[in-house]
Amino acid sequence: MARERQHSPSPSPQHSPRPRLSPLSRRSLLGGAAAAAGAAALTATAAGTAAAATRSVDVAVVGGGLAGLTAARDLVAAGKTVVVLEARDRVGGRVVNLPLGNGQVTEGGGEFIGPTQDRIKALADSLGVATFPTYNTGKNLLNKDGKKTAYATDGLLGSVPPIDAAGLANAAIVQASLDDMAKQIPVNAPWTAAKAEEWDRQTFESWLRANAVIPSAKFLLDVACTSIFSAEPRELSLLFVLFYIAAAGNESNVGTLERLTETAGGAQELRFVGGSQLVPIKLAATLGDRVVLNAPVRTITRSGGGYVVSADGITVDAKKVVVALPPPLAARITYAPLLPAARDQLTQRLPMASVGKAIAIYDTPFWRADGLNGQVVSDTGVVSSTFDNSPPDASHGALMGFIEADEARKLDAASEAEVRAAVLKDYVTYFGEKAASPTSFVLQRWNNEAYTRGGPVSIAAPGVLTQYGPALRAPVGGIHWAGTETSTYWMGFMDGAVRSGERVAKEVVAAL
């Protein structure tokens, strides 16, 4: 498999879902000794179980991320026998803790949760994983047109960057229009919206060019887009964007663009004590030897009234199968008989977006002494948005930057040293010379991960949802689909993954 992380201690003193743009900013794509011990124990358990050549169960779950593990938990609770097959040597999927030494970790994938993300919060609470507020004290930074501006986030404009008045007015109108259109989207079937065909014929870019007519407003919307999707506006269907906004809520609260982009009161409000991967690690521990690591699934074959699932080191006979993978990865499994054309064509058209996270570690979060909260919005640089990723006790400082969309793709083939140099150059621009000397540097490039190949989510271009959307969750015989991309609320987030696991478990239990 590809390297899970790249960690470079500094040899000498010389050495990331987003900043609040409310109403237009970053979403959040992705601990300690306990996490390390849990992962080690799970690996040891899985190594032993993988030696068993064949297992017979009610349900084989493909994928040990939050979706697959949640489905397995609920199936076991319903009295079903289950095995979870995970390709990596760890659980969590797009959620991973990166070790810093001395029992410290930082997050390389999904890490934030916020209001209306009820299911991931309930899961964490049930496992004893606590949350703490994302650091949000002090001023944001706007780096635009070669000028740095610190601005308060609790004034009349909230956390909106201080652009010109005309741009602010235009951006407000655009945001209101997007929210109004999103209210017309049925989250369980966006392709059935009254204007679905019209909205799915155009890119988000073409719509923005017609509506965000002031350059500074267009800048805000562009940053919001890359921050939320890790994709450029030209890559996205307007219908897909509207669905994503509609999905940023729950059964009692309509989705809004502001909830996607905000820190306080939004999707970036809270983090997990000990790192977000503690949630899947502890969940997997409750399943014991039902979880098998280092077992990438190669084929799923219909056999009699059930299925044979063949993975490296293990074969599973199952009555039903849950595939809890991003659509592009689910498509790389060989199915016999072939999947229906609509399902296969759908997976061909839902590529992963492009994202990386770069975290620089310092002795202290020095920017706080300067009255800054570590959140930046920039019109240039490899990293155009940052967060303070320090632990709750501030025992060290951590600046996390998202490398996204075009910028991420430009660096896919670059060396770690080249990426580090480019990222630290940006951090120095934003926070001064102290940022040039981290004690260590951690890089997670999801595009180069063998069992992810991008993130934080699969994206849809024009024509995909209206033509192929109905195949997204529709079971194929006894094969059922989970994963955050299949969620009706909080698609692309940890909460969406948990919701999809809960939904598919009920679906499978009803079918058995």
Side-chain angles (χ1 to χ4, degrees):
M1 62 177 278
R3 292 182 67 190
E4 194 56 51
R5 56 188 169 272
Q6 296 156 315
H7 178 240
S8 302
S10 176
S12 68
Q14 172 68 28
H15 202 3
S16 171
R18 282 331 179 152
R20 296 182 306 160
L21 270 177
S22 166
L24 307 165
S25 172
R26 166 70 185 171
R27 94 161 183 81
S28 116
L29 321 229
L30 324 172
L42 186 58
T43 301
T45 300
T49 59
T54 303
R55 288 205 208 178
S56 295
V57 295
D58 292 323
V59 186
V61 178
V62 181
L66 283 168
L69 295 173
T70 298
R73 174 203 64 179
D74 289 1
L75 288 165
V76 169
K80 308 304 178 184
T81 56
V82 176
V83 65
V84 178
L85 301 173
E86 168 54 45
R88 291 182 168 94
D89 61 358
R90 63 167 182 85
V91 294
R94 285 167 270 184
V95 179
V96 61
N97 286 349
L98 306 178
L100 300 174
N102 299 318
Q104 297 290 314
V105 300
T106 191
E107 290 111 329
E111 64 176 282
F112 301 108
I113 67 170
T116 76
Q117 295 188 7
D118 313 307
R119 303 316 303 152
I120 180 64
K121 183 63 165 59
L123 174 59
D125 288 347
S126 73
L127 296 168
V129 181
T131 58
F132 68 100
T134 302
Y135 190 79
N136 200 38
T137 302
K139 295 183 176 182
N140 282 17
L141 279 176
L142 171 66
N143 184 65
K144 188 173 185 298
D145 299 327
K147 178 183 177 182
K148 263 193 320 185
T149 305
Y151 61 98
T153 61
D154 56 0
L156 182 63
L157 297 176
S159 57
V160 180
I163 60 172
D164 59 280
L168 287 173
N170 188 197
I173 292 170
V174 169
Q175 177 184 329
S177 296
L178 290 169
D179 284 346
D180 285 344
M181 291 188 291
K183 291 176 184 176
Q184 303 173 47
I185 303 292
V187 293
N188 62 331
W191 44 88
T192 65
K195 295 185 177 180
E197 294 284 348
E198 174 187 339
W199 291 337
D200 206 31
R201 282 198 297 266
Q202 58 188 303
T203 64
F204 188 40
E205 171 70 17
S206 62
W207 187 88
L208 284 178
R209 287 186 179 276
N211 291 273
V213 294
I214 305 297
S216 55
K218 179 65 162 54
F219 158 72
L220 288 186
L221 272 298
D222 285 346
V223 172
C225 179
T226 54
S227 296
I228 293 168
F229 300 100
S230 297
E232 303 293 340
R234 68 176 184 273
E235 300 178 86
L236 306 172
S237 157
L238 175 60
L239 179 64
F240 177 72
V241 171
L242 295 176
F243 161 65
Y244 217 81
I245 295 171
N250 59 16
E251 293 79 0
S252 303
N253 298 272
V254 298
T256 66
L257 180 58
E258 185 174 11
R259 192 176 294 120
L260 278 170
T261 61
E262 280 292 327
T263 300
Q268 286 67 241
E269 185 172 74
L270 300 173
R271 296 173 59 203
F272 289 109
V273 177
S276 52
Q277 197 191 359
L278 267 187
V279 178
I281 286 173
K282 289 193 170 186
L283 179 55
T286 69
L287 296 168
D289 64 4
R290 298 179 183 90
V291 180
V292 182
L293 303 181
N294 298 304
V297 170
R298 307 300 182 183
T299 63
I300 298 175
T301 304
R302 185 70 183 256
S303 178
Y307 292 85
V308 176
V309 181
S310 299
D312 290 2
I314 183 170
T315 299
V316 178
D317 292 323
K319 298 174 184 175
K320 304 289 182 182
V321 180
V322 170
V323 178
L325 301 175
L329 296 187
R332 297 181 184 185
I333 297 171
T334 298
Y335 300 85
L338 291 174
L339 294 177
R343 170 69 196 186
D344 192 73
Q345 290 283 314
L346 172 73
T347 59
Q348 292 181 44
R349 289 164 169 80
L350 287 178
M352 299 298 285
S354 300
V355 68
K357 292 178 77 173
I359 304 102
I361 307 301
Y362 304 89
D363 289 331
T364 63
F366 61 85
W367 50 92
R368 297 183 184 181
D370 296 329
L372 301 174
N373 61 18
Q375 297 178 42
V376 172
V377 177
S378 179
D379 64 350
T380 59
V382 167
V383 170
S384 59
S385 57
T386 66
F387 263 104
D388 182 329
N389 242 42
S390 308
D393 62 1
S395 54
H396 65 262
L399 279 176
M400 183 271 289
F402 290 95
I403 308 172
E404 301 181 290
D406 284 350
E407 293 300 329
R409 290 185 282 269
K410 289 176 186 176
L411 294 173
D412 282 342
S415 68
E416 180 183 348
E418 291 169 329
V419 176
R420 172 184 155 145
V423 168
L424 292 184
K425 179 181 178 182
D426 290 341
Y427 289 179
V428 168
T429 296
Y430 307 149
F431 300 105
E433 286 301 322
K434 290 181 181 178
S437 304
T439 57
S440 60
F441 183 85
V442 182
L443 178 64
Q444 179 74 20
R445 290 192 278 187
W446 290 102
N447 290 16
N448 295 340
E449 281 290 317
Y451 297 115
T452 310
R453 302 317 306 261
V457 68
S458 295
I459 56 175
V464 175
L465 289 182
T466 49
Q467 292 299 310
Y468 307 100
L472 185 61
R473 286 183 296 275
V476 176
I479 302 175
H480 299 253
W481 313 103
T484 189
E485 283 83 3
T486 70
S487 185
T488 53
Y489 288 106
W490 289 110
M491 174 188 177
F493 291 74
M494 292 184 286
D495 189 74
V498 174
R499 287 175 184 270
S500 78
E502 293 174 339
R503 183 262 308 160
V504 83
K506 293 176 184 177
E507 194 177 277
V508 171
V509 168
L512 280 169

